[in-house]
Amino acid sequence: FDEVNVATAWSRLSKVRVTGRERAAFFRQEESTLLQLLQHTSRTISRLDARGISTTCYSMARLRFEPAHATMRLLSAEAIQRIGEFNAQDFTNTAWAFATLGISDPQLFDAIARASEQRIGSFKPQDLTNTAWAFAMLGVPAPQLFAAIARESKQRIGSFNAQDLTNTAWAFAKAGVPAPRLFEAIARESEKRIGCFKPQEVATTAWAFATLGVPAPLFEASAHESKKRT
C-alpha cells in the first residue's frame, strides 16, 4: 500500500455521498478501515508529492472524519517543507481543507500566502475565490496576499460566475480588507448578470458591500425585494 494508493483511497472515500446520520453510520461501519488508512497515510506522508499532499488534505476535509485531524497536522508539516513544489490548485485545495475543518495552522498559511503571492497569475477564478475564502474563514491576516488576489480578480472579473463574485466579496468583508477597485468591478459585473444570482447570493453580496461601507444600490434593492418575496 504505497503513497499513490493512499491518495487515491482518500479521494475515492471523499466522493461517497453521505450526510447527517448517514455519515455517522458510515463512520461507525468503516471505522476500522479508516483508522488503518490513517496509519498508512502517516507512514507514507514523506513520500507523497505535492499533488498527493493537497489531494489527501482536500479529500479528508470533504469526508470530515474527525480522527483525521492529527494526520492533517502531519500533512501540514510536509506541505510547509514542500511548498515550492505546489501549484495554484495545490495551494487552494490545502488552504480550503484546513479552513473547512476549522484547523488553524499559522505556519502553513504563512507559507501558502507567501508562495501564492508569487504565482497569483496562475490562479484560476475559483482558486482566487477559494483561497480568499479559506484565509477569511480562519481569520488569518494576509494583507499582501489579499492585495494580490484583489488585483488579479479585478483584471479577470469577467471570468467569475455569480458564486465566485459572491464568495470573493464575502471573503474580503469577513477579513475586513477594503478593496474599492475590486468591489467596483464586482458591482459592475454583477449588474450585468444579476439574474444569475440566487437570493442567498444577493443577500450575502449586499452584506459584504455594507460591511465594508461600499455603496451598492443594486444589491440593496435586490436583497430587499428578495425579503419581500419570502
Side-chain angles (χ1 to χ4, degrees), residues 51-74:
R51 177 51 53 87
I53 293 170
S54 65
T55 296
T56 302
C57 288
Y58 178 80
S59 300
M60 284 183 175
R62 286 192 63 185
L63 191 61
R64 290 176 172 79
F65 183 51
E66 192 167 334
H69 286 207
T71 306
M72 290 285 287
R73 295 290 187 187
L74 298 177

Side-chain angles (χ1 to χ4, degrees), residues 148-185:
I149 290 174
R151 288 193 301 270
E152 192 67 24
S153 297
K154 177 181 175 293
Q155 292 175 6
R156 299 164 61 188
I157 203 71
S159 300
F160 281 46
N161 60 30
Q163 186 177 12
D164 293 334
L165 293 167
T166 297
N167 289 347
T168 299
W170 179 91
F172 275 77
K174 176 70 173 175
V177 178
R181 292 183 179 178
L182 171 61
F183 272 65
E184 288 174 8

Side-chain angles (χ1 to χ4, degrees), residues 16-100:
V16 176
R17 295 186 178 181
V18 289
T19 56
R21 294 178 182 177
E22 291 179 350
R23 184 182 300 277
F26 173 77
F27 287 157
R28 285 194 300 270
Q29 181 180 342
E30 302 295 337
E31 183 177 20
S32 176
T33 300
L34 289 168
L35 292 176
Q36 286 181 21
L37 181 56
L38 283 175
Q39 292 177 356
H40 284 302
T41 304
S42 298
R43 288 196 292 266
T44 61
I45 282 176
S46 63
R47 299 199 299 273
L48 289 169
D49 61 12
R51 177 51 53 87
I53 293 170
S54 65
T55 296
T56 302
C57 288
Y58 178 80
S59 300
M60 284 183 175
R62 286 192 63 185
L63 191 61
R64 290 176 172 79
F65 183 51
E66 192 167 334
H69 286 207
T71 306
M72 290 285 287
R73 295 290 187 187
L74 298 177
L75 286 161
S76 167
E78 190 66 26
I80 292 170
Q81 295 297 319
R82 311 272 292 282
I83 203 72
E85 301 170 24
F86 278 43
N87 62 25
Q89 188 175 6
D90 296 329
F91 294 135
T92 302
N93 285 351
T94 303
W96 180 91
F98 278 78
T100 296

